[in-house]
Amino acid sequence: MPCEGCMERDNESTDATIEFHLLGFSELFCLRVLLLLIFLIIHLVTLAGNMMIFIAVFMEHTRSPMLFFLCQLSLIELCYTLVIVPKALLGLTVMKGITISFIGCAAQMYLFVGLGGTECFLLAAMSYDRYVAICKPLHYTVVMSEGLCLRLSIACCLGGFAVALGLTVSVFHLPFCQSHHINHFFCDVPAVLHLACIHSYTSELPMLAACVLLLLLPFLLILTSYLCIAAVLLRITSSFRRGKAFSTCFSHLVITLLHYGCASFMYIRPKSSYSPARDKMVSLVYTNITPLLYPLIYSLRNKEIRGVLRKMLRRKRITQLNWGITRAVTRVN
């Protein structure tokens, strides 16, 4: 059924010529300079924090499974912010938003959903790592081998991007109304679905299937892992040992709650409850704030990450010291 107040899709226009108009924060244009500075600072700090963790872990010759997964998580967050934030920052410099091509909008949605889905599966893999470490400590090094970690990493990527491909193709095969104004700062799934000229549950089925595969399935795996961990922790009589075991899961639990909390609020709901202003605020949290918090949470709570970062900074100081000595000797000669 065609949407009210808008015309059917122009038959003469092709996918290559269709353009979408991202309105962004056009209603807050008077605050554009302040918003631009805030988002730019957050973006740069996020890039620096995740890049530092990625480089520090990557330079380690021997990496534990958790460090291996954290390295991948930091890389995902780097790509995640680069897909969304630069376009949003550009939109703050223009009064009435910016245009994005049909292909560009589809590519942005595909990368955004693919990276988000990969992170969901990766969080499930990290929960399995914690399960083996706490419930089967004697078999940890055998079970969580380098080969298994690599296979889990590849499976997470393939699973996330496969589901993202199906969802993106399904969304962009829908007929769109001639009003191509997206009241958002990027091509998010609910915002693009709102432009569809079909008001029926069938248009929401691909998104529902993606939510089941990317949110519900990994969440059930994470929940199962932590129920097994809780059962083991309850049997530990020493409060010190119990607290030490739980502390290794704290960072992962916080990040899981942040990620799934925002994602569930945004995507596990009917199309009729779509609210542009509310969605933009929540999107700001999970595209800007949570990627900023991830390095802080892991660097403050994870001893391995703190140790790796200290090693990297120590190597940097030694390199600078050697460079200074070399320059001084060169000048003397």
Side-chain angles (χ1 to χ4, degrees):
M1 186 175 69
C3 53
E4 298 178 4
C6 58
M7 295 177 287
E8 291 287 346
R9 185 173 177 174
D10 187 359
N11 293 327
E12 295 181 0
S13 64
T14 61
D15 293 346
T17 59
I18 292 175
E19 284 189 338
F20 293 102
H21 193 76
L22 294 171
L23 298 179
F25 299 96
S26 53
E27 70 275 14
L28 300 174
F29 191 72
C30 56
L31 300 173
R32 68 188 185 281
V33 176
L34 178 62
L35 291 174
L36 182 63
L37 287 174
I38 293 173
F39 293 161
L40 182 60
I41 292 170
I42 291 174
H43 181 55
L44 293 176
V45 174
T46 300
L47 290 179
N50 284 289
M51 183 68 77
M52 187 180 296
I53 289 179
F54 175 76
I55 293 174
V57 176
F58 186 78
M59 290 175 65
E60 282 291 298
H61 298 295
T62 56
R63 292 183 289 269
S64 67
M66 182 54 74
L67 284 181
F68 177 82
F69 291 133
L70 284 178
C71 183
Q72 188 181 1
L73 185 65
S74 295
L75 182 60
I76 289 172
E77 293 305 322
L78 280 171
C79 299
Y80 200 71
T81 53
L82 289 173
V83 166
I84 302 300
V85 179
K87 200 79 174 176
L89 291 175
L90 181 62
L92 287 170
T93 63
V94 184
M95 182 177 292
K96 295 183 179 180
I98 56 175
T99 58
I100 184 170
S101 66
F102 183 91
I103 301 297
C105 190
Q108 188 182 52
M109 182 185 291
Y110 171 66
L111 291 172
F112 173 74
V113 176
L115 290 167
T118 302
E119 185 171 341
C120 289
F121 288 129
L122 187 63
L123 288 172
M126 292 168 75
S127 71
Y128 177 70
D129 171 79
R130 292 299 84 204
Y131 159 75
V132 178
I134 294 173
C135 300
K136 300 181 179 180
L138 298 178
H139 300 92
Y140 181 71
T141 54
V142 177
V143 175
M144 298 304 297
S145 63
E146 186 176 343
L148 178 64
C149 292
L150 184 60
R151 288 193 295 272
L152 286 173
S153 175
I154 294 172
C156 291
C157 292
L158 291 177
F161 281 97
V163 176
L165 180 62
L167 177 61
T168 305
V169 170
S170 300
V171 169
F172 282 90
H173 263 74
L174 294 172
F176 294 110
C177 303
Q178 282 191 344
S179 176
H180 293 156
H181 290 75
I182 300 176
N183 195 357
H184 214 301
F185 57 90
F186 72 100
C187 293
D188 200 8
V189 181
V192 177
L193 274 178
H194 192 67
L195 299 181
C197 289
I198 299 176
H199 281 181
S200 67
Y201 72 93
T202 54
S203 63
E204 300 181 45
L205 288 179
M207 186 170 170
L208 178 62
C211 287
V212 170
L213 293 172
L214 298 181
L215 292 177
L216 183 60
L217 181 60
F219 180 75
L220 289 176
L221 294 174
I222 293 171
L223 184 62
T224 302
S225 296
Y226 276 104
L227 286 175
C228 294
I229 290 172
V232 171
L233 292 180
L234 289 174
R235 290 200 298 265
I236 298 176
T237 55
S238 171
S239 58
F240 174 76
R241 286 178 58 203
R242 190 188 302 122
K244 187 177 179 181
F246 178 76
S247 67
T248 64
C249 306
F250 181 80
S251 300
H252 178 262
L253 273 173
V254 172
I255 287 178
T256 300
L257 290 174
L258 282 172
H259 184 75
Y260 277 92
C262 293
S264 299
F265 179 83
M266 284 295 298
Y267 303 115
I268 305 179
R269 60 177 186 180
K271 181 181 172 183
S272 57
S273 64
Y274 172 71
S275 171
R278 183 183 58 193
D279 281 22
K280 279 191 282 189
M281 291 304 297
V282 178
S283 297
L284 274 177
V285 174
Y286 72 76
T287 59
N288 290 271
I289 306 302
T290 53
L292 173 67
L293 293 177
Y294 285 4
L296 295 175
I297 293 169
Y298 269 110
S299 60
L300 291 174
R301 296 291 307 182
N302 192 290
K303 290 182 179 179
E304 286 185 286
I305 284 292
R306 291 202 301 269
V308 167
L309 290 174
R310 277 196 295 267
K311 282 184 184 179
M312 187 184 74
L313 294 174
R314 196 180 302 121
R315 280 194 292 261
K316 185 179 179 181
R317 290 196 197 98
I318 292 171
T319 303
Q320 290 175 342
L321 181 61
N322 291 337
W323 174 248
I325 293 172
T326 303
R327 288 183 64 185
V329 170
T330 305
R331 287 177 182 175
V332 170
N333 293 336

